[in-house]
Amino acid sequence: MKVKAKAHPNIAMVKYWGKADDELRLPMNSSISITLDKLWTVTEVEFDKRFKEDKVVLSGGDFSKKERLRVVRHLDRIRGMAGVDIKARVVTRNNFKKASGMASSASGFAALSLAGSKAVGLNLSEKELSVLARLGSGSACRSIPGGIVIWHKGSDNKSSYAESIKIGKSLDIRVLLIEVDQDGEKEVGSTRGMDLAKTSPYFTQAIKRAERNLGKIKLAIRLNKWEKIGEVVETECFRLHVLAMTSKPAILYWEPASLRIMNKVFELREKGIMAYFTADAGPHIHVICKRKDEKQLMSELKKLVGVKQVISCGVGERARLLS
Ligand code: PMV
C-alpha cells in the first residue's frame, strides 16, 4: 500500500540547541515553535516484499549519501516497531529548498514518520508519532502537531515529545521567511553544530536561560502580550547564535544580508512596527509580525541587498495523510 503524508516545517521561538542524549535526540531544554503553513514536504512510502532494497528519491533534487542513510535508518526504526523486514520506496518533495536552516529535516522526518508508519500498518497516536519523528531529527517532533507547539524535553524516549499549545483565537501572528543569497547548502549541519555547542563557555548558562525564556513566552502567549513574545523570540535567536559563535571551532551562520534584515527590523521597530526576528542554523531570517504590518514589512525587506525572496506564512496544521 502506498501512503502519502504532508507536513510543515516549524520555526522555533524557544530554540533547541544542545542534546542531553545524542542517540535518542533528547534535548537539553524544552522548546516552542510555530508551524509554517506555506512550506511543506509531501512524502510517499510503499513497503513491498518484492523490493530488493530501499529506494529513496527526492523529486527535483538529490539526497546525499549521508541523507539517504538517515532516511534508511528511520525506515529501520519503523520496521523495528512493526516487526517486519520489508524494503521500501520513498519519494519525497519539498516546496522549498532543503537544508540552509529552512527546516526541511523537520517537515521531512515528520512526513516520513506518518507515511512510513501507516504504510507498514501501524496506527500510531500523535504522541507516538512525535516520538518517532524526534528520533529522525529532533525538531521534526514539533512538526507532527500543528499550530504553536511545545516540545517537552522529557527524560527518556517516551517522555520527550511535542504537542500543540492551546491559544486563544486572538493570537494574530504572521511569519515572514526571508531567504537570503547564499552559495550551496549550509556548511555546518545542526547535528554537528549542536555537538560543538557544548564547547562554548556559555553552554550551561544558555540552557538555564532557555528554560527561563520558555516560562516567559508561555505566559506571554497565554496573556497575548505581543511585545513580550517578540522579546523572547529575539533573545532566543541570539542565544543560539552566540552559542554557535563561541563554539570551538566557531560557527557563523549569517550572511551580510542576514544582518541587514536584523538592522532593518530594529529600525522599523523604532518607527512603531512591532516585528521581531529569529534565525535557525543558517543565514535565512524569520520575522514575526502582526497581520496589519505584513505588507509594509514585506516591501521594506524585499528592497534589501541580498534578499532573494520573502515568503509570508501563517500558522500551519498538523502532519496529515493525503491518501
Ligand atoms: O533539525 P534538527 O533537529 O537537527 O534541529 C535544528 C534545531 C534548530 O532548527 C536550529 C533550532 C530549533 O529549535 O528548531
Side-chain angles (χ1 to χ4, degrees), residues 135-199:
L135 294 167
S137 174
S139 60
C141 75
R142 295 189 313 235
S143 280
I144 293 290
I148 310 280
V149 173
I150 180 163
W151 173 7
H152 305 288
K153 67 175 178 178
S155 54
D156 57 15
N157 188 40
K158 280 194 176 158
S159 58
S160 185
Y161 69 98
E163 63 180 346
S164 304
I165 294 183
K166 285 182 189 62
I167 46 166
K169 275 217 172 80
S170 51
L171 189 65
D172 157 25
I173 189 166
R174 300 289 300 169
V175 182
L176 305 179
L177 166 54
I178 304 140
E179 189 189 350
V180 304
D181 282 332
Q182 181 202 20
D183 291 334
E185 294 186 359
K186 64 180 168 185
E187 290 113 38
V188 184
S190 51
T191 304
R192 171 140 172 82
M194 268 186 238
D195 288 345
L196 291 177
K198 289 184 179 145
T199 64

Short mmCIF file of all heavy atoms in Angstrom, two decimals, residues 135-199:
data_model
loop_
_atom_site.label_atom_id
_atom_site.label_comp_id
_atom_site.label_asym_id
_atom_site.label_seq_id
_atom_site.Cartn_x
_atom_site.Cartn_y
_atom_site.Cartn_z
N LEU A 135 13.30 10.92 16.71
CA LEU A 135 14.47 10.05 16.54
C LEU A 135 15.14 10.28 15.19
O LEU A 135 16.34 10.06 15.03
CB LEU A 135 14.06 8.58 16.69
CG LEU A 135 13.58 8.19 18.10
CD1 LEU A 135 12.89 6.83 18.08
CD2 LEU A 135 14.73 8.19 19.10
N GLY A 136 14.37 10.77 14.21
CA GLY A 136 14.93 11.09 12.90
C GLY A 136 15.63 12.43 12.91
O GLY A 136 16.75 12.59 12.43
N SER A 137 14.96 13.42 13.49
CA SER A 137 15.51 14.77 13.60
C SER A 137 14.75 15.45 14.74
O SER A 137 13.52 15.50 14.70
CB SER A 137 15.27 15.50 12.28
OG SER A 137 15.65 16.85 12.39
N GLY A 138 15.49 15.95 15.71
CA GLY A 138 14.84 16.49 16.92
C GLY A 138 13.67 17.40 16.62
O GLY A 138 12.54 17.18 17.08
N SER A 139 13.93 18.43 15.81
CA SER A 139 12.88 19.43 15.60
C SER A 139 11.68 18.86 14.83
O SER A 139 10.62 19.48 14.79
CB SER A 139 13.46 20.64 14.85
OG SER A 139 13.97 20.24 13.61
N ALA A 140 11.83 17.68 14.23
CA ALA A 140 10.72 17.06 13.49
C ALA A 140 9.57 16.68 14.42
O ALA A 140 8.41 16.63 13.99
CB ALA A 140 11.21 15.83 12.74
N CYS A 141 9.87 16.46 15.70
CA CYS A 141 8.78 16.09 16.62
C CYS A 141 7.78 17.24 16.74
O CYS A 141 6.61 17.03 17.01
CB CYS A 141 9.32 15.66 17.98
SG CYS A 141 9.91 17.00 19.02
N ARG A 142 8.27 18.48 16.50
CA ARG A 142 7.37 19.65 16.60
C ARG A 142 6.59 19.86 15.30
O ARG A 142 5.75 20.76 15.24
CB ARG A 142 8.19 20.92 16.93
CG ARG A 142 8.86 20.90 18.30
CD ARG A 142 9.45 22.28 18.63
NE ARG A 142 10.19 22.77 17.50
CZ ARG A 142 11.47 23.17 17.53
NH1 ARG A 142 12.14 23.16 18.66
NH2 ARG A 142 12.05 23.59 16.44
N SER A 143 6.86 19.06 14.26
CA SER A 143 6.09 19.19 13.02
C SER A 143 4.99 18.14 12.92
O SER A 143 4.32 18.04 11.90
CB SER A 143 7.01 19.10 11.79
OG SER A 143 7.65 20.35 11.59
N ILE A 144 4.80 17.34 13.96
CA ILE A 144 3.68 16.39 13.97
C ILE A 144 2.39 17.09 14.41
O ILE A 144 1.40 17.07 13.69
CB ILE A 144 4.02 15.14 14.84
CG1 ILE A 144 5.16 14.32 14.19
CG2 ILE A 144 2.77 14.29 15.09
CD1 ILE A 144 4.80 13.58 12.90
N PRO A 145 2.38 17.76 15.57
CA PRO A 145 1.15 18.52 15.91
C PRO A 145 1.15 19.84 15.12
O PRO A 145 2.16 20.19 14.53
CB PRO A 145 1.32 18.83 17.41
CG PRO A 145 2.62 18.24 17.83
CD PRO A 145 3.41 17.91 16.63
N GLY A 146 0.05 20.53 15.12
CA GLY A 146 0.02 21.80 14.38
C GLY A 146 -0.05 23.00 15.30
O GLY A 146 -0.10 22.87 16.52
N GLY A 147 -0.06 24.18 14.69
CA GLY A 147 -0.22 25.42 15.45
C GLY A 147 1.04 25.84 16.16
O GLY A 147 2.15 25.74 15.64
N ILE A 148 0.86 26.35 17.39
CA ILE A 148 2.00 26.68 18.24
C ILE A 148 2.27 25.42 19.06
O ILE A 148 1.34 24.86 19.66
CB ILE A 148 1.68 27.87 19.19
CG1 ILE A 148 1.09 29.05 18.41
CG2 ILE A 148 2.90 28.25 20.01
CD1 ILE A 148 2.05 29.93 17.68
N VAL A 149 3.51 25.00 19.06
CA VAL A 149 3.82 23.65 19.58
C VAL A 149 4.90 23.71 20.66
O VAL A 149 5.88 24.45 20.52
CB VAL A 149 4.29 22.76 18.40
CG1 VAL A 149 4.78 21.41 18.90
CG2 VAL A 149 3.16 22.57 17.39
N ILE A 150 4.71 22.93 21.69
CA ILE A 150 5.75 22.81 22.71
C ILE A 150 6.34 21.40 22.67
O ILE A 150 5.61 20.42 22.57
CB ILE A 150 5.22 23.16 24.12
CG1 ILE A 150 6.36 23.02 25.16
CG2 ILE A 150 4.03 22.29 24.54
CD1 ILE A 150 6.08 23.71 26.49
N TRP A 151 7.65 21.33 22.69
CA TRP A 151 8.36 20.04 22.78
C TRP A 151 8.82 19.89 24.23
O TRP A 151 9.69 20.64 24.67
CB TRP A 151 9.53 20.04 21.82
CG TRP A 151 10.47 18.85 21.89
CD1 TRP A 151 10.33 17.70 22.62
CD2 TRP A 151 11.71 18.72 21.19
NE1 TRP A 151 11.40 16.87 22.40
CE2 TRP A 151 12.26 17.46 21.53
CE3 TRP A 151 12.41 19.54 20.29
CZ2 TRP A 151 13.49 17.02 21.02
CZ3 TRP A 151 13.63 19.09 19.79
CH2 TRP A 151 14.14 17.84 20.15
N HIS A 152 8.21 18.96 24.93
CA HIS A 152 8.61 18.68 26.31
C HIS A 152 9.90 17.89 26.25
O HIS A 152 9.93 16.81 25.64
CB HIS A 152 7.54 17.85 27.02
CG HIS A 152 6.16 18.50 26.97
ND1 HIS A 152 5.86 19.61 27.71
CD2 HIS A 152 5.05 18.19 26.26
CE1 HIS A 152 4.60 19.95 27.46
NE2 HIS A 152 4.09 19.12 26.59
N LYS A 153 10.93 18.40 26.90
CA LYS A 153 12.24 17.75 26.74
C LYS A 153 12.22 16.31 27.23
O LYS A 153 12.86 15.44 26.65
CB LYS A 153 13.35 18.54 27.43
CG LYS A 153 13.25 18.60 28.94
CD LYS A 153 14.46 19.31 29.52
CE LYS A 153 14.32 19.39 31.03
NZ LYS A 153 15.45 20.02 31.67
N GLY A 154 11.46 16.03 28.29
CA GLY A 154 11.37 14.66 28.81
C GLY A 154 12.68 14.16 29.37
O GLY A 154 13.68 14.89 29.40
N SER A 155 12.66 12.91 29.81
CA SER A 155 13.88 12.35 30.40
C SER A 155 14.22 10.98 29.80
O SER A 155 15.23 10.40 30.13
CB SER A 155 13.71 12.22 31.91
OG SER A 155 12.54 11.47 32.16
N ASP A 156 13.34 10.49 28.94
CA ASP A 156 13.63 9.24 28.24
C ASP A 156 12.88 9.25 26.90
O ASP A 156 12.19 10.23 26.58
CB ASP A 156 13.23 8.01 29.09
CG ASP A 156 11.77 8.03 29.50
OD1 ASP A 156 10.99 8.81 28.91
OD2 ASP A 156 11.39 7.27 30.40
N ASN A 157 12.99 8.17 26.16
CA ASN A 157 12.42 8.16 24.81
C ASN A 157 10.94 8.54 24.79
O ASN A 157 10.51 9.36 23.99
CB ASN A 157 12.64 6.78 24.17
CG ASN A 157 12.26 6.78 22.70
OD1 ASN A 157 12.53 7.75 21.99
ND2 ASN A 157 11.59 5.74 22.25
N LYS A 158 10.16 7.93 25.68
CA LYS A 158 8.71 8.14 25.63
C LYS A 158 8.25 9.51 26.12
O LYS A 158 7.20 10.00 25.72
CB LYS A 158 8.03 7.07 26.49
CG LYS A 158 7.90 5.75 25.77
CD LYS A 158 6.94 4.85 26.49
CE LYS A 158 6.73 3.56 25.72
NZ LYS A 158 6.25 2.48 26.57
N SER A 159 9.03 10.10 27.02
CA SER A 159 8.54 11.35 27.62
C SER A 159 9.01 12.60 26.86
O SER A 159 8.68 13.72 27.26
CB SER A 159 8.96 11.42 29.10
OG SER A 159 10.36 11.33 29.20
N SER A 160 9.76 12.44 25.79
CA SER A 160 10.24 13.59 25.03
C SER A 160 9.44 13.68 23.72
O SER A 160 9.72 12.98 22.75
CB SER A 160 11.73 13.42 24.73
OG SER A 160 12.22 14.57 24.09
N TYR A 161 8.42 14.53 23.73
CA TYR A 161 7.52 14.63 22.57
C TYR A 161 6.92 16.03 22.53
O TYR A 161 7.06 16.80 23.48
CB TYR A 161 6.39 13.59 22.68
CG TYR A 161 5.42 13.90 23.78
CD1 TYR A 161 4.21 14.54 23.54
CD2 TYR A 161 5.75 13.61 25.11
CE1 TYR A 161 3.35 14.88 24.56
CE2 TYR A 161 4.89 13.94 26.15
CZ TYR A 161 3.69 14.57 25.86
OH TYR A 161 2.85 14.92 26.90
N ALA A 162 6.24 16.32 21.41
CA ALA A 162 5.66 17.66 21.25
C ALA A 162 4.14 17.60 21.17
O ALA A 162 3.57 16.59 20.75
CB ALA A 162 6.22 18.30 19.99
N GLU A 163 3.52 18.68 21.59
CA GLU A 163 2.06 18.80 21.46
C GLU A 163 1.69 20.26 21.22
O GLU A 163 2.47 21.17 21.54
CB GLU A 163 1.35 18.26 22.71
CG GLU A 163 1.68 19.01 23.97
CD GLU A 163 0.96 18.47 25.21
OE1 GLU A 163 0.01 17.68 25.07
OE2 GLU A 163 1.35 18.86 26.31
N SER A 164 0.48 20.48 20.69
CA SER A 164 0.03 21.85 20.44
C SER A 164 -0.29 22.55 21.75
O SER A 164 -0.75 21.93 22.69
CB SER A 164 -1.25 21.85 19.60
OG SER A 164 -1.05 21.14 18.42
N ILE A 165 -0.04 23.85 21.75
CA ILE A 165 -0.42 24.66 22.90
C ILE A 165 -1.77 25.26 22.58
O ILE A 165 -1.97 25.76 21.46
CB ILE A 165 0.57 25.83 23.11
CG1 ILE A 165 1.95 25.31 23.49
CG2 ILE A 165 0.07 26.82 24.13
CD1 ILE A 165 2.93 26.44 23.77
N LYS A 166 -2.67 25.23 23.52
CA LYS A 166 -3.98 25.85 23.26
C LYS A 166 -3.82 27.36 23.35
O LYS A 166 -3.33 27.87 24.34
CB LYS A 166 -5.00 25.36 24.28
CG LYS A 166 -5.43 23.95 23.97
CD LYS A 166 -6.48 23.43 24.92
CE LYS A 166 -6.70 21.95 24.67
NZ LYS A 166 -5.49 21.14 24.92
N ILE A 167 -4.23 28.04 22.27
CA ILE A 167 -4.14 29.51 22.32
C ILE A 167 -5.49 30.10 21.94
O ILE A 167 -6.25 29.50 21.18
CB ILE A 167 -3.07 30.08 21.37
CG1 ILE A 167 -3.16 29.41 19.99
CG2 ILE A 167 -1.69 29.97 21.93
CD1 ILE A 167 -2.40 30.13 18.92
N GLY A 168 -5.73 31.29 22.46
CA GLY A 168 -6.96 31.98 22.12
C GLY A 168 -6.92 32.35 20.64
O GLY A 168 -5.84 32.52 20.08
N LYS A 169 -8.06 32.49 20.02
CA LYS A 169 -8.12 32.84 18.58
C LYS A 169 -7.43 34.16 18.30
O LYS A 169 -7.04 34.45 17.20
CB LYS A 169 -9.59 32.94 18.15
CG LYS A 169 -10.19 31.61 17.78
CD LYS A 169 -11.15 31.80 16.58
CE LYS A 169 -11.64 30.48 16.05
NZ LYS A 169 -12.73 29.93 16.84
N SER A 170 -7.28 34.96 19.36
CA SER A 170 -6.81 36.33 19.17
C SER A 170 -5.31 36.44 18.87
O SER A 170 -4.84 37.53 18.59
CB SER A 170 -7.15 37.14 20.41
OG SER A 170 -6.68 36.44 21.53
N LEU A 171 -4.55 35.36 18.95
CA LEU A 171 -3.12 35.49 18.68
C LEU A 171 -2.89 35.68 17.18
O LEU A 171 -2.90 34.74 16.40
CB LEU A 171 -2.32 34.29 19.20
CG LEU A 171 -0.80 34.46 19.15
CD1 LEU A 171 -0.32 35.57 20.07
CD2 LEU A 171 -0.08 33.17 19.48
N ASP A 172 -2.72 36.98 16.83
CA ASP A 172 -2.56 37.35 15.43
C ASP A 172 -1.07 37.33 15.14
O ASP A 172 -0.33 38.19 15.59
CB ASP A 172 -3.21 38.75 15.29
CG ASP A 172 -2.71 39.54 14.11
OD1 ASP A 172 -2.24 38.94 13.14
OD2 ASP A 172 -2.79 40.79 14.19
N ILE A 173 -0.61 36.32 14.40
CA ILE A 173 0.82 36.19 14.15
C ILE A 173 1.09 35.74 12.72
O ILE A 173 0.45 34.81 12.21
CB ILE A 173 1.47 35.24 15.19
CG1 ILE A 173 2.99 35.26 15.09
CG2 ILE A 173 0.96 33.82 15.07
CD1 ILE A 173 3.68 34.62 16.30
N ARG A 174 1.98 36.45 12.05
CA ARG A 174 2.42 36.06 10.71
C ARG A 174 3.94 35.86 10.78
O ARG A 174 4.62 36.49 11.60
CB ARG A 174 2.12 37.17 9.69
CG ARG A 174 0.68 37.53 9.55
CD ARG A 174 -0.15 36.48 8.87
NE ARG A 174 0.27 36.17 7.52
CZ ARG A 174 -0.21 35.12 6.82
NH1 ARG A 174 -1.11 34.31 7.37
NH2 ARG A 174 0.21 34.88 5.61
N VAL A 175 4.44 34.99 9.94
CA VAL A 175 5.89 34.76 9.91
C VAL A 175 6.38 35.02 8.49
O VAL A 175 5.88 34.40 7.54
CB VAL A 175 6.25 33.31 10.32
CG1 VAL A 175 7.77 33.13 10.33
CG2 VAL A 175 5.66 32.95 11.66
N LEU A 176 7.31 35.95 8.35
CA LEU A 176 7.90 36.20 7.04
C LEU A 176 9.23 35.47 6.99
O LEU A 176 10.12 35.72 7.81
CB LEU A 176 8.13 37.70 6.82
CG LEU A 176 6.89 38.59 7.00
CD1 LEU A 176 7.27 40.05 6.78
CD2 LEU A 176 5.79 38.17 6.03
N LEU A 177 9.33 34.55 6.06
CA LEU A 177 10.59 33.82 5.90
C LEU A 177 11.38 34.52 4.82
O LEU A 177 10.92 34.63 3.67
CB LEU A 177 10.30 32.36 5.52
CG LEU A 177 11.49 31.53 5.00
CD1 LEU A 177 12.67 31.56 5.96
CD2 LEU A 177 11.07 30.10 4.79
N ILE A 178 12.53 35.04 5.19
CA ILE A 178 13.32 35.81 4.24
C ILE A 178 14.53 34.99 3.81
O ILE A 178 15.44 34.73 4.62
CB ILE A 178 13.74 37.16 4.86
CG1 ILE A 178 12.47 37.88 5.31
CG2 ILE A 178 14.49 38.02 3.85
CD1 ILE A 178 12.64 38.58 6.60
N GLU A 179 14.49 34.59 2.56
CA GLU A 179 15.60 33.80 2.05
C GLU A 179 16.67 34.74 1.53
O GLU A 179 16.37 35.66 0.76
CB GLU A 179 15.11 32.88 0.92
CG GLU A 179 16.18 31.89 0.50
CD GLU A 179 15.83 31.10 -0.76
OE1 GLU A 179 14.68 31.17 -1.22
OE2 GLU A 179 16.74 30.45 -1.28
N VAL A 180 17.90 34.52 1.95
CA VAL A 180 18.98 35.41 1.51
C VAL A 180 19.91 34.66 0.56
O VAL A 180 19.96 33.43 0.56
CB VAL A 180 19.78 36.00 2.71
CG1 VAL A 180 18.87 36.71 3.69
CG2 VAL A 180 20.59 34.93 3.42
N ASP A 181 20.66 35.42 -0.23
CA ASP A 181 21.62 34.83 -1.17
C ASP A 181 22.67 34.04 -0.41
O ASP A 181 23.20 34.51 0.60
CB ASP A 181 22.35 35.94 -1.95
CG ASP A 181 21.48 36.50 -3.04
OD1 ASP A 181 20.63 35.75 -3.55
OD2 ASP A 181 21.65 37.69 -3.37
N GLN A 182 22.96 32.87 -0.93
CA GLN A 182 23.93 32.02 -0.27
C GLN A 182 24.42 30.99 -1.28
O GLN A 182 23.64 30.53 -2.10
CB GLN A 182 23.20 31.31 0.88
CG GLN A 182 24.02 30.40 1.71
CD GLN A 182 23.13 29.40 2.44
OE1 GLN A 182 21.99 29.15 2.03
NE2 GLN A 182 23.64 28.81 3.48
N ASP A 183 25.68 30.63 -1.16
CA ASP A 183 26.19 29.60 -2.07
C ASP A 183 25.98 28.23 -1.45
O ASP A 183 26.44 27.99 -0.34
CB ASP A 183 27.70 29.79 -2.32
CG ASP A 183 27.96 31.05 -3.13
OD1 ASP A 183 27.04 31.45 -3.88
OD2 ASP A 183 29.05 31.62 -3.01
N GLY A 184 25.33 27.36 -2.16
CA GLY A 184 25.20 25.96 -1.72
C GLY A 184 24.39 25.78 -0.46
O GLY A 184 23.61 26.65 -0.07
N GLU A 185 24.59 24.63 0.19
CA GLU A 185 23.84 24.31 1.41
C GLU A 185 24.61 24.80 2.62
O GLU A 185 25.76 25.19 2.52
CB GLU A 185 23.61 22.80 1.47
CG GLU A 185 22.71 22.34 0.35
CD GLU A 185 22.33 20.88 0.45
OE1 GLU A 185 22.79 20.21 1.39
OE2 GLU A 185 21.58 20.43 -0.41
N LYS A 186 23.95 24.75 3.78
CA LYS A 186 24.65 25.24 4.97
C LYS A 186 25.91 24.40 5.22
O LYS A 186 25.92 23.20 4.97
CB LYS A 186 23.71 25.22 6.17
CG LYS A 186 23.22 23.86 6.60
CD LYS A 186 22.30 23.99 7.79
CE LYS A 186 21.58 22.68 8.04
NZ LYS A 186 20.59 22.78 9.11
N GLU A 187 26.94 25.06 5.71
CA GLU A 187 28.22 24.35 5.86
C GLU A 187 28.24 23.45 7.09
O GLU A 187 28.75 22.36 7.06
CB GLU A 187 29.38 25.35 5.95
CG GLU A 187 29.67 26.05 4.64
CD GLU A 187 29.37 27.53 4.71
OE1 GLU A 187 29.64 28.12 5.77
OE2 GLU A 187 28.85 28.08 3.73
N VAL A 188 27.70 23.95 8.20
CA VAL A 188 27.73 23.14 9.42
C VAL A 188 26.31 22.74 9.76
O VAL A 188 25.48 23.58 10.14
CB VAL A 188 28.36 23.91 10.61
CG1 VAL A 188 28.47 23.01 11.84
CG2 VAL A 188 29.71 24.48 10.23
N GLY A 189 25.99 21.46 9.62
CA GLY A 189 24.64 20.98 9.89
C GLY A 189 24.31 21.11 11.37
O GLY A 189 25.22 21.28 12.21
N SER A 190 23.02 21.03 11.69
CA SER A 190 22.63 21.25 13.08
C SER A 190 23.14 20.14 14.01
O SER A 190 23.42 20.40 15.18
CB SER A 190 21.12 21.43 13.20
OG SER A 190 20.47 20.38 12.55
N THR A 191 23.28 18.92 13.48
CA THR A 191 23.77 17.83 14.35
C THR A 191 25.18 18.17 14.84
O THR A 191 25.45 18.14 16.06
CB THR A 191 23.76 16.49 13.58
OG1 THR A 191 22.44 16.28 13.09
CG2 THR A 191 24.17 15.34 14.46
N ARG A 192 26.04 18.55 13.91
CA ARG A 192 27.42 18.89 14.30
C ARG A 192 27.44 20.19 15.11
O ARG A 192 28.14 20.30 16.11
CB ARG A 192 28.28 19.03 13.04
CG ARG A 192 29.65 19.59 13.30
CD ARG A 192 30.74 18.92 12.49
NE ARG A 192 32.02 19.62 12.63
CZ ARG A 192 32.85 19.46 13.65
NH1 ARG A 192 32.56 18.64 14.63
NH2 ARG A 192 33.99 20.14 13.70
N GLY A 193 26.62 21.15 14.68
CA GLY A 193 26.57 22.43 15.40
C GLY A 193 26.21 22.23 16.86
O GLY A 193 26.80 22.83 17.76
N MET A 194 25.25 21.33 17.09
CA MET A 194 24.82 21.08 18.46
C MET A 194 25.88 20.36 19.27
O MET A 194 26.02 20.60 20.46
CB MET A 194 23.54 20.26 18.45
CG MET A 194 22.33 21.15 18.47
SD MET A 194 20.85 20.20 18.62
CE MET A 194 20.03 20.73 17.15
N ASP A 195 26.61 19.45 18.61
CA ASP A 195 27.71 18.78 19.32
C ASP A 195 28.73 19.82 19.77
O ASP A 195 29.23 19.78 20.90
CB ASP A 195 28.42 17.78 18.39
CG ASP A 195 27.57 16.56 18.12
OD1 ASP A 195 26.59 16.36 18.86
OD2 ASP A 195 27.89 15.82 17.17
N LEU A 196 29.01 20.77 18.87
CA LEU A 196 30.01 21.79 19.18
C LEU A 196 29.53 22.78 20.24
O LEU A 196 30.34 23.37 20.94
CB LEU A 196 30.39 22.56 17.90
CG LEU A 196 31.16 21.77 16.85
CD1 LEU A 196 31.40 22.63 15.61
CD2 LEU A 196 32.50 21.28 17.41
N ALA A 197 28.20 22.93 20.36
CA ALA A 197 27.66 23.91 21.33
C ALA A 197 28.22 23.66 22.73
O ALA A 197 28.46 24.59 23.50
CB ALA A 197 26.14 23.85 21.33
N LYS A 198 28.46 22.40 23.03
CA LYS A 198 28.96 22.03 24.37
C LYS A 198 30.34 22.60 24.65
O LYS A 198 30.76 22.67 25.80
CB LYS A 198 28.99 20.51 24.52
CG LYS A 198 27.59 19.94 24.61
CD LYS A 198 27.56 18.46 24.85
CE LYS A 198 26.11 18.03 24.96
NZ LYS A 198 25.84 16.72 24.41
N THR A 199 31.05 22.98 23.58
CA THR A 199 32.39 23.54 23.78
C THR A 199 32.33 25.05 24.09
O THR A 199 33.34 25.66 24.39
CB THR A 199 33.28 23.34 22.53
OG1 THR A 199 32.70 24.10 21.45
CG2 THR A 199 33.37 21.88 22.12
#
